Amino acid sequence: MSQKVRLETTSKSNRKVENKVDKPRIRLSQQVIVATASDLFARNGFGATSLDAIGEALGVTKGALYYHIKNKEEILKLIFMTVLTVSEEPLRQIAQAELPPAEKLRRAIAHHVAVAADRSPAMTIFYREDVHLTGPFAREIAARKKAYERLFEKIVEEGITLGVFHKEIDPKIATFGILGMCNWLSQWYRPGGTYTPQQIAAFFNQLASFGLALPDASSL
Amino acid sequence: MSQKVRLETTSKSNRKVENKVDKPRIRLSQQVIVATASDLFARNGFGATSLDAIGEALGVTKGALYYHIKNKEEILKLIFMTVLTVSEEPLRQIAQAELPPAEKLRRAIAHHVAVAADRSPAMTIFYREDVHLTGPFAREIAARKKAYERLFEKIVEEGITLGVFHKEIDPKIATFGILGMCNWLSQWYRPGGTYTPQQIAAFFNQLASFGLALPDASSL
Amino acid sequence: MSQKVRLETTSKSNRKVENKVDKPRIRLSQQVIVATASDLFARNGFGATSLDAIGEALGVTKGALYYHIKNKEEILKLIFMTVLTVSEEPLRQIAQAELPPAEKLRRAIAHHVAVAADRSPAMTIFYREDVHLTGPFAREIAARKKAYERLFEKIVEEGITLGVFHKEIDPKIATFGILGMCNWLSQWYRPGGTYTPQQIAAFFNQLASFGLALPDASSL
Amino acid sequence: MSQKVRLETTSKSNRKVENKVDKPRIRLSQQVIVATASDLFARNGFGATSLDAIGEALGVTKGALYYHIKNKEEILKLIFMTVLTVSEEPLRQIAQAELPPAEKLRRAIAHHVAVAADRSPAMTIFYREDVHLTGPFAREIAARKKAYERLFEKIVEEGITLGVFHKEIDPKIATFGILGMCNWLSQWYRPGGTYTPQQIAAFFNQLASFGLALPDASSL
DNA sequence: TATGAATGAGCTTTCATTCAT
DNA sequence: AATGAATGAAAGCTCATTCAT
């Protein structure tokens, strides 16, 4: 008469218990959280990823996350910071180096493609979820993003000034074109595909430097 | 003497009243809703845009929206359909035309840039919010997106086959590069900027066809 | 470029248009509304039946309904009134008639079964949706329902007083039992089933009057 | 001097505080929720009972409920399961026992009345709110309800076959009659009334077995 | 450190009702 | 008489955040 009734619908608590079994139970930390969240944000979107989901993926309750992060937006901020951290310095080095512009461009593309390829989820988020940043941080990111683009642009300008790049193409537009080419990776690149990031970078450099058209195709 | 005290109680109601004044009060319809929603989705993201916000932007209650649309996702679907509708057919025409590949490529780029510039918010949404589509519609969109890319790719392949395009660049990667170049517009293009979409398209065609490097830059 | 995009999801307005075709377009009136609503309320519940649904079933917009009824609750009220109107008077006649109690009971059961069978939806609503009545009307219905039961009860009491019914069974409980037996029809009766309402009434009278047990089953 | 100003900002919070005083503040759990919801559903109907109302009755926010239940329908499902769980097994035992049919019937009625009286709100819901069940669960309940009725029916058939029950009454109709008699309890039974469930069951058995009419009322 | 439990704000959606046309 | 359109209130549900344990 007072028998417990149990529905077949796995209740919330049940689900948690079951999952705990197969989770590796890695030591929780900001880094681990950010890494896991990156994957989820990239796959499902920032807004559509709940802290519950992140916690579940990590084998902890969402409450535990707050021990390591201030709030959800902080995770996003950390992702943006990561992207900039790994991107900025190397490009600055390349831009400042004593090299011919064509070589600079080649290296810049290689660098950018490399980052985009091996930080794929973070990169996806970087260019998709910027609307969710607010306040001064949003402005900082926007500024640094612009600065990054400017470094690229300068390489192009340098090439034009030195007379090795076509001066008919506006350097800003060219830069946007090349960056777009690279950033678009996040829409289609999957690790383990036909080509390595290095090969892709080589193709892109070929395209950006010499174009598709064969030089002797004079009649075109 | 009997001064009215004004509290900081978020003057939501006030705001509404004020807004009504300057709203054109356009006749509500599916099209108008989709247009307004496009702007908001592009600016703030699909998930972060509430129906309340769309209603407010239109000067109606959110309830009124439901007289014209089935639900929030339908708005998104309509945006996706719009993008495909205006994109597909023209590209198909170009791809099938009796033209040299280089000219096809030039036209394809011009077409794609025109659409991306013309329908900037819709395009932004198209490539950013696809995660929010579900079910068969999501699959349909994915398939048609792929088909669109394939049309582009075929132009490149044709150029290679006919011996007018470099055969060193993988056609798939080249396509992704060119499409990325164009699609990236949605991240930086603003109507009324320095260049018209036509000029931008010309630059991109120049870049994709001949590259930045001057042909006589033999020492590279 | 400004082509209209149309989704395959039949929009609200579309649906309406399509339906209008096959509707007989009966002259709208309170009676017709109540009849249609009865079916829907009985099938789906009062709360789960929208005025939209009623309108659709009638081939008109819900707004049109308000020309004939004050509001949704009035429809419910009318249904309750109908049930009482067709039930009360005949039972009163039977109760007051100059007949032996057993015959009165037989007729009362026949009457009640007949009403329950041929006003099946209304009856279902009568005993299921009373919670949705409010105010004085709710009280009135409750009172008349009780009065109806009382008429039945009096027949039983009369039988006991006259020494033709078992005095061991409390007349109130017996009445509830018999009424329950009949009212339960609304849960299982479907027109066109194995038995006619008359036959069912006969079975019920047999059961209520003589029971299942055979009289000579003395050893039981 | 620096008095805090208190505005008349809809004292919602106040109201809550007041309520909290007289609420027992029982430990929240699925069981408690289901119990409270049963009362409210029975009294006001499933559709007309909001989760807000359930929460208020329990002294918690509606959000808190979702920690323990998946959604509103799950509460309903649990109620249905409870009814079946406490009903089925005992009746099965009775039906299978080595007993004369009349005794089986007596016990079956006693069992059914006991459950209906004991779980009055749940029983009310069981027979009133089945329209709100959907999908496979709805089908399962319907099937088990039918199976339960079938058990009853078999007892009647057995009595007829063994020659101890009237063969003039269709066993299916008799079963519906008897079950209706019992189920109707939920419409009028209140704990602490004149009779105990056991007494009511005895009356019903008397009625169903021997009827109201005195055997020597030969002239009927 | 982590959990279980709860809050409160916000969201999408539904719907009875109203009203200009 | 009837429609199209809109309102506003309420509902179910989700989720970031908090906090006692």
Side-chain angles (χ1 to χ4, degrees), chain C:
Chain C
M1 219 152 242
S2 70
Q3 300 151 50
K4 288 252 180 75
V5 174
R6 203 154 278 287
L7 240 46
E8 76 288 12
T9 44
T10 52
S11 94
K12 245 176 224 166
S13 27
N14 292 358
R15 216 183 306 144
K16 268 176 218 154
V17 174
E18 289 164 23
N19 279 0
K20 266 179 193 165
V21 181
D22 29 283
K23 290 290 149 194
R25 267 315 211 140
I26 290 166
R27 191 96 169 65
L28 205 56
S29 72
Q30 215 179 56
Q31 271 189 50
V32 182
I33 292 173
V34 170
T36 303
S38 289
D39 283 339
L40 293 173
F41 289 169
R43 190 158 41 249
N44 309 321
F46 174 75
T49 303
S50 69
L51 288 179
D52 249 328
I54 299 171
E56 199 183 333
L58 286 163
V60 292
T61 33
K62 60 180 163 183
L65 302 178
Y66 280 88
Y67 223 88
H68 305 273
I69 52 139
K70 226 180 80 230
N71 53 34
K72 197 184 176 189
E73 199 186 350
E74 202 197 13
I75 305 181
L76 195 59
K77 286 184 180 178
L78 287 166
I79 294 172
F80 274 81
M81 288 305 286
T82 305
V83 170
L84 285 176
T85 303
V86 302
S87 302
E88 284 170 336
E89 190 47 31
L91 183 65
R92 221 175 278 135
Q93 302 274 355
I94 293 166
Q96 289 168 356
E98 286 281 350
L99 292 166
E103 176 60 13
K104 280 189 183 180
L105 183 64
R106 197 192 61 75
R107 294 191 186 187
I109 288 173
H111 162 63
H112 200 71
V113 166
V115 172
D118 69 54
R119 302 262 170 175
S120 178
M123 209 64 170
T124 303
I125 295 160
F126 191 85
Y127 286 109
R128 194 220 268 150
E129 311 288 2
D130 50 351
V131 271
H132 293 109
L133 297 176
T134 58
F137 189 82
R139 281 189 291 280
E140 185 196 328
I141 293 294
R144 290 171 69 175
K145 202 191 282 192
K146 186 152 284 179
Y148 188 86
E149 291 166 1
R150 190 80 190 98
L151 283 175
F152 242 100
E153 197 183 331
K154 274 204 185 135
I155 297 176
V156 177
E157 284 172 353
E158 202 180 313
I160 293 173
T161 308
L162 294 184
V164 295
F165 283 174
H166 277 292
K167 62 173 177 296
E168 287 78 22
I169 305 181
D170 181 273
K172 201 175 229 77
I173 305 295
T175 304
F176 279 138
I178 294 168
L179 279 172
M181 206 162 74
C182 299
N183 289 329
W184 205 246
L185 267 178
S186 59
Q187 293 273 335
W188 57 270
Y189 176 76
R190 296 290 167 270
T194 313
Y195 298 107
T196 64
Q198 290 77 33
Q199 290 173 301
I200 294 167
F203 285 141
F204 279 179
N205 182 56
Q206 191 77 6
L207 187 63
S209 297
F210 310 107
L212 278 174
L214 281 172
D216 47 337
S218 55
S219 64
L220 265 218

Side-chain angles (χ1 to χ4, degrees), chain A residues 61 63-64 67-68:
Chain A
T61 34
Y67 224 90
H68 304 275

